[in-house]
Amino acid sequence: GSFEVKYQEPFEDKGKIGWRNAQGIEPEKFNWCVFTFPANEVDIHGAFLCSKDIPVEEIKNPILRKSNGHQGTRMVTAFYGDYLDKPDNVNHSVDAFEIPNKSDVKELSNGLFGEESRVYLDDIKEQANIQLKSIYKEIEQAQENAERKVMSLAKQLGISHHIAVSVKKSVKLTDDDDSIVKSLHIEEAKYVASKSNEARKVIEQLNHMDPTSPTYQSDLEEKSSELSALVDAQNKEELSKYVVRRELVANLLDRVLNQKLAVQTEPLPDGKKRRDKEGFIHDLIFKRKSDGNLNDLWILDEEFVHFDGCSDVPLNEIQSESGEFLLKDIPEEEIAKLQLKITKRPDIFIYASEGKCVLIEFKAPDVTLTDYMHQTPNYCTLIANYSVHKIEKFYCYLIGESYSKIDVPAEYEETVNGSWLREKIRIIHPETRERIAWAQQEIIKLSDIAARAHRRNKSFAAKLGIDDLMDGNNE
């Protein structure tokens, strides 16, 4: 291919040097050609200004600098022309051009105006780079695809935007997903190590703080600000998304209770007689027939989201993360004799810790909770008697919206949150009638759960400065 570069002449422009096309002089013509090599035969893609068939000066280009081979080949581009071959424009050893750049012209002089106008080296390079953009278009597109892959993988992994940008600058066309992920984690580790060192210095200063000092609160606030400054803006943005998502869940719960979701009021399909009212609540908080990888149990207790759990799975099919079943094998005759209901499905079962578990039952808003007070204790009795590993403490929750205080047994005490709690329910062996475990059960209204979630979310939102946005979510 070929291109032209016009002659330029300087002129005075408001006390500075300006540039304009020289009149009456034909532009200089330059040519280019591309040599393609197997990738293992040359070190890098490259482009060079040549004089008398010798590469004199490499042209720096972002595409060429980052690319390390594309589809098994590398390309070398040569730019050449009569202007570059002129003896006055290249030194005797043919390893540097004598053509000035526009930036070399610092002031106007009589001598300069007496000389012919020039084609300047920076104009030649500028036009050469325009050609390179077309020549290496396929490589540029491949590079852009690789960079997009970096950003996409970083987003999937929850890695900060600024770390992804850093890795994007050095990604190679030959990098696969595994190598990109490795680079992202390495860069993140470097960043975290640096921030951790800074944080450690701040925390070490706590040794010099005095809680009895009049300035204690202001000193603590100062240290808090120093540590907070180490949390980058991207992570603060992610935290905001986290809080906003939680508020949306609480807001959805309000709408379910108030029958405001379109799916709750639209006509039922043919053949369907009633709505799955409990299902709206259940799937909102913990999708049925799923494991614990994604749930919104934080709305009940923050700790629950970190435990191993399952939803709507038969008792005899519940397994731990290691694949071990909850219940041991029970002889058929014993199942028949004691009428054991081993296929019953707790709404939610959680392995809390060794010897402890959590059972949660949801009821539709129009169902009377006190009619089901024995459901979770019955599950506890079966589990305590036939679990593979001994479970001695059960935490049970009966959650709905409708009940009357007059129906709540005397053993239940009202909590500070307005729920009802019975702390000690005896779980017994069916034959000896001896206690083998303890259970506690709490009766909670869904509306109270939603109200508490809104309070927590609003507190976080105020700290993040997004409380106005949260108020908009509640409309």
Side-chain angles (χ1 to χ4, degrees):
S2 63
F3 61 94
E4 294 180 343
V5 181
K6 294 180 178 180
Y7 279 79
Q8 296 280 301
E9 61 182 17
F11 68 96
E12 185 176 350
D13 181 18
K14 297 178 181 179
K16 297 181 180 179
I17 296 175
W19 296 93
R20 62 191 173 202
N21 295 332
Q23 300 298 313
I25 307 176
E26 290 295 318
E28 287 289 341
K29 183 177 180 180
F30 297 85
N31 304 299
W32 58 261
C33 60
V34 178
F35 302 88
T36 301
F37 298 90
N40 59 354
E41 290 188 9
V42 293
D43 293 334
I44 57 170
H45 290 296
F48 301 87
L49 295 178
C50 301
S51 178
K52 302 172 185 177
D53 300 331
I54 297 172
V56 176
E57 185 173 339
E58 184 175 4
I59 296 178
K60 300 298 182 182
N61 183 284
I63 307 171
L64 309 183
R65 187 165 62 249
K66 290 193 288 188
S67 301
N68 69 329
H70 179 54
Q71 297 181 346
T73 65
R74 289 193 176 99
M75 297 189 294
V76 176
T77 302
F79 293 95
Y80 59 98
D82 293 341
Y83 191 77
L84 298 176
D85 291 342
K86 287 181 179 179
D88 290 344
N89 287 341
V90 66
N91 64 9
H92 292 299
S93 57
V94 196
D95 59 7
F97 286 109
E98 300 289 348
I99 305 170
N101 288 297
K102 286 180 179 177
S103 58
D104 296 331
V105 180
K106 303 299 183 184
E107 59 182 21
L108 299 176
S109 67
N110 293 331
L112 181 62
F113 281 114
E115 296 177 358
E116 292 181 344
S117 300
R118 290 182 177 273
V119 170
Y120 287 88
L121 189 60
D122 40 8
D123 285 342
I124 299 172
K125 290 179 180 179
E126 180 182 349
Q127 291 302 316
N129 266 302
I130 292 173
Q131 303 300 312
L132 287 174
K133 192 171 182 65
S134 174
I135 294 168
Y136 290 89
K137 184 176 182 179
E138 186 177 5
I139 292 175
E140 183 177 37
Q141 290 174 343
Q143 186 69 40
E144 290 173 354
N145 289 338
E147 292 172 359
R148 279 196 292 270
K149 187 185 293 183
V150 171
M151 304 308 291
S152 174
L153 287 170
K155 187 174 182 180
Q156 292 176 31
L157 296 167
I159 292 175
S160 295
H161 179 78
H162 70 88
I163 291 173
V165 169
S166 179
V167 172
K168 185 179 78 169
K169 293 176 182 178
S170 59
V171 68
K172 299 176 182 177
L173 297 180
T174 53
D175 286 347
D176 57 16
D177 286 7
D178 288 343
S179 59
I180 291 174
V181 168
K182 182 178 179 181
S183 297
L184 285 167
H185 283 310
I186 289 173
E187 190 67 24
E188 183 180 45
K190 291 178 182 176
Y191 177 79
V192 170
S194 172
K195 292 293 183 183
S196 295
N197 286 333
E198 295 179 53
R200 188 161 48 249
K201 293 175 183 176
V202 175
I203 292 171
E204 285 173 355
Q205 295 169 16
L206 296 180
N207 295 334
H208 304 291
M209 293 188 67
D210 178 4
T212 66
S213 168
T215 62
Y216 167 70
Q217 289 295 341
S218 59
D219 293 341
L220 185 61
E221 185 67 26
E222 180 182 345
K223 296 305 171 194
S224 175
S225 297
E226 288 181 40
L227 277 176
S228 177
L230 299 176
V231 180
D232 59 84
Q234 174 73 10
N235 286 339
K236 289 180 180 177
E237 181 183 346
E238 290 300 316
L239 181 58
S240 296
K241 292 178 185 176
Y242 179 76
V243 173
V244 168
R245 182 193 178 281
R246 287 190 165 201
E247 181 61 9
L248 289 176
V249 171
N251 190 269
L252 274 169
L253 179 54
D254 287 334
R255 291 167 188 263
V256 169
L257 293 175
N258 293 315
Q259 295 282 306
K260 287 188 175 180
L261 295 185
V263 70
Q264 293 176 289
T265 56
E266 63 188 12
L268 290 170
D270 291 341
K272 192 169 184 180
K273 296 181 179 180
R274 61 187 181 87
R275 300 182 189 278
D276 183 10
K277 296 179 181 179
E278 181 184 318
F280 293 124
I281 304 294
H282 195 152
D283 287 350
L284 174 69
I285 296 174
F286 196 140
K287 187 71 176 174
R288 287 171 288 186
K289 295 181 174 57
S290 67
D291 57 24
N293 290 333
L294 181 62
N295 66 71
D296 283 295
L297 280 172
W298 60 269
I299 204 166
L300 182 61
D301 189 306
E302 194 70 45
E303 291 298 311
F304 289 171
V305 297
H306 305 297
F307 295 147
D308 174 21
C310 58
S311 175
D312 200 38
V313 176
L315 287 167
N316 63 334
E317 294 181 18
I318 293 175
Q319 295 175 263
S320 66
E321 282 185 319
S322 63
E324 192 171 35
F325 281 98
L326 169 66
L327 300 182
K328 63 181 72 169
D329 289 330
I330 310 172
E332 288 295 333
E333 57 272 20
E334 190 167 352
I335 294 175
K337 176 185 174 183
L338 297 175
Q339 300 180 31
L340 301 178
K341 299 176 181 179
I342 61 174
T343 59
K344 283 290 186 180
R345 302 168 181 262
D347 284 345
I348 296 173
F349 176 87
I350 298 172
Y351 285 100
S353 61
E354 187 174 352
K356 299 177 181 179
C357 70
V358 177
L359 289 159
I360 302 171
E361 281 295 318
F362 296 112
K363 299 301 172 188
D366 57 351
V367 171
T368 302
L369 286 177
T370 46
D371 291 345
Y372 294 88
M373 298 185 72
H374 295 292
Q375 186 173 2
T376 52
N378 288 345
Y379 292 151
C380 297
T381 299
L382 179 59
I383 295 169
N385 280 281
Y386 295 102
S387 59
V388 172
H389 297 287
K390 190 171 181 61
I391 297 179
E392 297 179 303
K393 184 66 177 178
F394 296 86
Y395 300 86
C396 305
Y397 296 86
L398 184 57
I399 301 173
E401 187 64 15
S402 177
Y403 68 86
S404 171
K405 289 184 179 181
I406 199 169
D407 294 327
V408 178
E411 296 88 353
Y412 283 78
E413 296 286 340
E414 191 169 13
T415 72
V416 68
N417 291 318
S419 60
W420 293 88
L421 175 66
R422 181 178 176 182
E423 289 190 305
K424 286 199 171 184
I425 301 173
R426 294 175 72 251
I427 305 300
I428 63 172
H429 187 281
E431 300 292 349
T432 66
R433 314 302 290 176
E434 293 180 354
R435 183 188 63 80
I436 58 174
W438 287 110
Q440 70 171 46
Q441 178 159 265
E442 189 170 359
I443 303 171
I444 311 175
K445 279 192 172 186
L446 288 161
S447 54
D448 290 339
I449 291 174
R452 297 201 308 248
H454 285 307
R455 285 198 297 271
R456 294 199 304 274
N457 293 338
K458 192 168 183 63
S459 175
F460 283 122
K463 295 293 184 183
L464 290 166
I466 58 172
D467 41 338
D468 289 342
L469 175 63
M470 302 283 269
D471 289 339
N473 285 334
N474 290 325
E475 292 178 359

